[in-house]
Amino acid sequence: ATIPNGGCTLVNCTCVNGSDCTCILYCNSSLAPHDMPAILLLHGTGGKASDMLNYSMIFAEKGYVIMAMDSPGCGNSTGPECNGTYFVDFSDGPYSSYYYHNVIAASRALTVMGDLPFVNASAMGVSGASMGGLTTFLLSAVDGRVTASAPIVAAGYLDESLMRGSFINFIMPAETGINDPKVKEFVSYFDPRAYVANLTSPTLMLIGTHDEFFFLDSVSKTYAILAEPKGFDLAPNQGHSFSAGWVDS
């Protein structure tokens, strides 16, 4: 791909089982067309890459190459459906779970982004909201190319959030409960708390005091075990949504 004159263009990458993931590439074509830092952006459950449009354009104007990914089964991407049934699909072990597909898709997107001739592959970050925030934690732990991350409205200790009645219950299949083996497997494989102590790149957590999915005790416990270097920006009276003040963070 070349730097888009109109500000954005579509980029495709091949993911698990031959599925295609579509990404929207944003950058300011008036800036120096080489050695630019880049950020991969990941949306939430049931969303699409264009949900990150405002965020993308702000950082493109600041001199970053931005790649916003349609997660598998979302937007223009193919693959498993983005819903609770596939979140807890362990028919082929963790490899059939939606979150595995999403992490692999994000890793492939990093490859495509890093191969762009105007991107500095040694300066690639990742940021995502909600499901994208959970995936940000996971990707940053398993892919050494991530040099900085900013998970937004996401935290670990998913089982505790489920037990305490968080809105995470609404994205799990209605027939499952906290003691369902599939839910336990989901937590075992994809809860960020199993990974965050092993992060080696700087991490900035962004979340609100009134998040309906991730309660403050889970947020605090996740941050406590998160490896250094790390930072935290807590938006007062903010629910499960993006705070405009976080752009400056």
Side-chain angles (χ1 to χ4, degrees), residues 13-249:
C13 52
T14 302
C15 301
V16 181
N17 297 328
S19 61
D20 291 320
C21 279
T22 299
C23 303
I24 307 175
L25 179 69
Y26 300 86
C27 61
N28 186 338
S29 58
S30 66
L31 300 174
H34 64 279
D35 210 30
M36 299 171 72
I39 303 173
L40 175 65
L41 295 183
L42 307 171
H43 62 75
T45 302
K48 54 188 180 300
S50 58
D51 294 344
M52 312 297 283
L53 174 62
N54 290 339
Y55 197 24
S56 300
M57 298 305 293
I58 288 170
F59 283 96
E61 288 302 313
K62 291 179 179 291
Y64 292 87
V65 175
I66 303 298
M67 184 175 281
M69 184 184 83
D70 278 333
S71 287
C74 299
N76 293 311
S77 293
T78 60
E81 293 181 38
C82 181
N83 59 42
T85 298
Y86 286 96
F87 291 170
V88 297
D89 178 3
F90 286 89
S91 57
D92 189 27
Y95 309 108
S96 50
S97 172
Y98 183 88
Y99 268 73
Y100 174 80
H101 287 256
N102 203 31
V103 172
I104 294 299
S107 183
R108 299 282 173 83
L110 269 184
T111 298
V112 172
M113 189 166 72
D115 285 344
L116 296 173
F118 45 87
V119 165
N120 179 354
S122 298
M124 297 194 299
V126 60
S127 182
S130 193
M131 177 183 76
L134 296 177
T135 304
T136 294
F137 279 124
L138 302 176
L139 181 66
S140 300
V142 301
D143 196 318
R145 296 172 296 174
V146 176
T147 59
S149 62
I152 304 168
V153 294
Y157 296 87
L158 301 177
D159 51 342
E160 296 184 11
S161 295
L162 285 164
M163 286 189 290
R164 292 171 182 168
S166 93
F167 280 15
I168 295 176
N169 285 278
F170 293 116
I171 61 174
M172 289 293 172
E175 68 276 9
T176 62
I178 188 60
N179 293 317
D180 189 299
K182 293 184 293 185
V183 174
K184 289 184 176 181
E185 282 196 277
F186 177 77
V187 172
S188 174
Y189 282 108
F190 301 113
D191 191 315
R193 77 170 180 253
Y195 301 89
V196 296
N198 299 319
L199 295 182
T200 57
S201 57
T203 306
L204 175 63
M205 289 182 63
L206 306 171
I207 201 160
T209 58
H210 288 58
D211 194 290
E212 305 91 340
F213 288 78
F214 304 98
F215 300 150
L216 280 180
D217 55 344
S218 297
V219 173
S220 177
K221 290 167 76 171
T222 302
Y223 188 75
I225 63 172
L226 177 64
E228 298 280 0
K230 60 186 177 181
F232 188 77
D233 192 321
L234 185 65
N237 304 313
Q238 182 79 27
H240 194 69
S241 58
F242 186 82
S243 170
W246 287 336
V247 172
D248 294 330
S249 296

